[in-house]
Amino acid sequence: MIWMRPLLIAAAACGACAAFGQAERAGPFLTRDEPVDWMLTATVSLTPATEVKSRRQRSRPNLSQPQTEDINASERFSIEQATVFWPVAGSAASYEVDRGSVKGTVTLGSRDTGARFAMLDTLSGGAPLHSGAAYAQWTLGPIERAPAAGVLTVTQRIRAWRTVFDEEAAKEVSWPTGEWPKEAASSLEPMLFIDEGFEGPYTKSRVADLVDRFTRGNPRSQPPAVTAKWIAGEVIKSFRVSGQAAVSDIVRATGRQSGRSVGAIGAINTVGAAQASQSRRGSPIDLALLLTACYREAGLPARVVIGYVVEPADRGEDALQRAERQDRAEEGLYAWVEFALYDERESRPDRALTWVPVDVLAMQRNNVARRPFDQPWDGFGTCEQFNEILPIGYHLHPHRLAASAYGVSQRREPLPGLWGWNVVPVTPQAIRQAITLSATSASQTSNRNTPRDR
């Protein structure tokens, strides 16, 4: 049964390209322009937690690492070996991350540990990590009597573009008759906060019920791009965003920052896709997680992208132009979704797979689901602000790396914080984390001859 009328894409999708000025093709279905080069800096600061913890809190394991020990401000702990992980995104239509530019230091107390750096981006045998993710990792130790305070500082170069989506061409792509490419297929595998939490698997029956209702039990009755747009519209109509994307930290970060930085983040604010599907409400992160879960339930590979919105620059705009940009995302932590569009007819492997961005938060904010379905929707592939939104990674917590971190909610429930580490013999527990993000740029765009700076 067809659960919606056939898609009729207006020519306005292609006409929008002209408004962007000189553009370049990022693939068969996406055009991008106005590139901006950024240097993203992330700092994770660890400080001893000095408050007395209750018996219940002491007995509860810290996130995904079962072997932990309490530590206070005056104590030290021994490190035979420790590995620290920070997520690194890859490349898609709206961004290219220079993985070769990633640098970082790990400091304990006032001492540079001289940690050994490596980039983890494949499994044994060369298969890609989940969703094409990568992790910068630093290995250190042995260290006797290591202090509880420490700082991880990571820098990386990112180029970001605005994008325009050609829906008319995309709707011609059918569901694959064979297997999805390895990178896309990996995103269908179990994932934290989609299929499971720190304490075990989720019951995902509600997600399945939603997709069944949205598509009348047959998501493949329409082309993948049509199904993706329809599900996105249904999700944003039925979900209420409440709260912020991040839990603010209560202590100051100690890392030195350059450029503009947001307030310290204590953790990512999420209840997970399963609870979000039940309550139909959650943080901005939960909205992106729920849409990703629905796409995957429909058989469409998808990944959530955790990113950072930089502070808007002075563009020399007049008052009316500034007013028109008031709907931009607020500076800080952000999330969007990318679904896989795979054209088996394409002879070039590098062009066969396209990750299409879905700025689901902007779509909901702008009420795009109220507009005719056969017209382009801002945020669905076409993302005019994405040259100021930088990707960090594809997972809220290091995926399958047995890493521990220190994010908690007000209810003392464990929450992710992008990074993680594991320490042998045991990982210390009573530590606070504070994460700060900043970005600087001196890039030139096609319609501006002076450098942009943050």
Side-chain angles (χ1 to χ4, degrees):
M1 178 182 295
I2 295 178
W3 36 267
M4 51 168 288
R5 66 181 183 275
L7 179 66
L8 299 174
I9 298 296
C14 295
C17 297
F20 275 41
Q22 189 65 34
E24 64 179 81
R25 298 293 292 182
F29 318 108
L30 282 157
T31 304
R32 62 192 185 188
D33 84 336
E34 293 213 24
V36 183
D37 292 321
W38 298 97
M39 180 65 75
L40 176 65
T41 300
T43 302
V44 180
S45 299
L46 304 180
T47 55
T50 57
E51 75 273 13
V52 177
K53 303 194 326 183
S54 70
R55 183 183 301 275
R56 177 176 179 272
Q57 292 167 344
R58 285 181 179 275
S59 65
R60 186 168 195 166
N62 179 41
L63 300 188
S64 59
Q65 173 60 266
Q67 291 185 317
T68 58
E69 65 179 10
D70 288 347
I71 240 168
N72 61 39
S74 62
E75 289 181 328
R76 300 290 187 268
F77 64 103
S78 295
I79 297 177
E80 294 179 10
Q81 179 175 298
T83 306
V84 184
F85 303 99
W86 180 261
V88 180
S91 295
S94 67
Y95 57 84
E96 289 182 1
V97 177
D98 182 358
R99 289 181 173 176
S101 71
V102 178
K103 297 179 181 179
T105 58
V106 181
T107 302
L108 291 176
S110 58
R111 172 185 175 184
D112 186 338
T113 62
R116 301 170 294 282
F117 171 80
M119 183 66 71
L120 176 64
D121 57 7
T122 59
L123 300 169
S124 59
L129 296 183
H130 193 294
S131 301
Y135 291 92
Q137 60 178 27
W138 293 265
T139 304
L140 54 121
I143 300 175
E144 292 292 336
R145 294 180 55 78
V151 176
L152 165 67
T153 303
V154 186
T155 60
Q156 58 183 301
R157 290 197 300 267
I158 300 171
R159 174 168 289 185
W161 289 266
R162 306 196 305 178
T163 61
V164 172
F165 185 43
D166 186 348
E167 291 186 42
E168 188 170 4
K171 74 172 185 177
E172 299 298 327
V173 178
S174 302
W175 292 86
T177 57
E179 296 181 351
W180 292 95
K182 290 182 179 179
E183 183 176 287
S186 70
S187 71
L188 294 171
E189 297 173 359
M191 176 179 170
L192 268 173
F193 300 102
I194 298 260
D195 304 280
E196 59 193 17
F198 287 127
E199 297 181 347
Y202 289 153
T203 300
K204 299 189 297 177
S205 59
R206 183 55 181 161
V207 174
D209 291 342
L210 288 176
V211 173
D212 187 69
R213 180 167 63 84
F214 294 160
T215 66
R216 295 187 181 178
N218 190 5
R220 287 179 175 251
S221 66
Q222 297 287 334
V226 180
T227 296
K229 186 176 182 180
W230 183 266
I231 291 176
E234 294 299 302
V235 167
I236 62 178
K237 286 190 294 186
S238 62
F239 187 88
R240 178 184 175 187
V241 172
S242 60
Q244 302 297 316
V247 177
S248 299
D249 184 64
I250 61 175
V251 296
R252 283 183 172 271
T254 59
R256 300 179 64 181
Q257 295 289 297
S258 62
R260 177 76 176 180
S261 63
V262 300
I265 297 168
I268 298 175
N269 185 20
T270 180
V271 297
Q275 185 171 329
S277 68
Q278 292 281 352
S279 62
R280 303 288 189 92
R281 64 182 299 169
S283 74
I285 304 295
D286 291 315
L287 175 57
L289 287 172
L290 178 57
L291 180 57
T292 304
C294 288
Y295 280 166
R296 287 156 38 104
E297 183 65 30
L300 186 63
R303 62 192 183 191
V304 62
V305 187
I306 305 301
Y308 167 59
V309 182
V310 300
E311 183 188 24
D314 178 7
R315 295 168 172 248
E317 299 170 331
D318 58 29
L320 177 59
Q321 290 172 317
R322 286 195 298 272
E324 291 174 345
R325 287 175 50 81
Q326 289 305 305
D327 62 350
R328 78 179 305 280
E330 294 183 2
E331 181 189 10
L333 207 63
Y334 201 69
W336 67 97
V337 180
E338 293 174 345
F339 70 87
L341 194 59
Y342 177 48
D343 189 354
E344 291 178 310
R345 304 167 302 176
E346 177 59 57
S347 59
R348 289 176 50 182
D350 61 323
R351 291 173 57 86
L353 176 63
T354 301
W355 288 102
V356 180
V358 182
D359 190 353
V360 62
L361 293 167
M363 291 172 65
Q364 186 181 68
R365 183 170 59 244
N366 296 326
N367 293 319
V368 300
R370 295 178 178 269
R371 304 174 189 174
F373 189 81
D374 58 0
Q375 295 180 8
W377 287 356
D378 297 338
F380 187 78
T382 299
C383 304
E384 296 188 16
Q385 299 171 1
F386 266 27
N387 59 357
E388 294 182 340
I389 304 179
L390 311 183
I392 298 173
Y394 304 133
H395 298 274
L396 280 63
H397 182 79
H399 185 71
R400 297 287 188 266
L401 295 178
S404 208
Y406 303 97
V408 292
S409 67
Q410 293 181 345
R411 299 183 299 274
R412 305 299 298 177
E413 294 177 345
L415 291 175
L418 294 172
W419 82 293
W421 71 341
N422 51 48
V423 180
V424 179
V426 288
T427 301
Q429 180 175 346
I431 294 179
R432 282 198 186 96
Q433 66 183 24
I435 304 165
T436 56
L437 302 167
S438 67
T440 58
S441 173
S443 179
Q444 293 184 352
T445 63
S446 59
N447 63 352
R448 182 176 170 89
N449 295 320
T450 56
R452 307 178 71 175
D453 191 16
R454 297 291 191 278

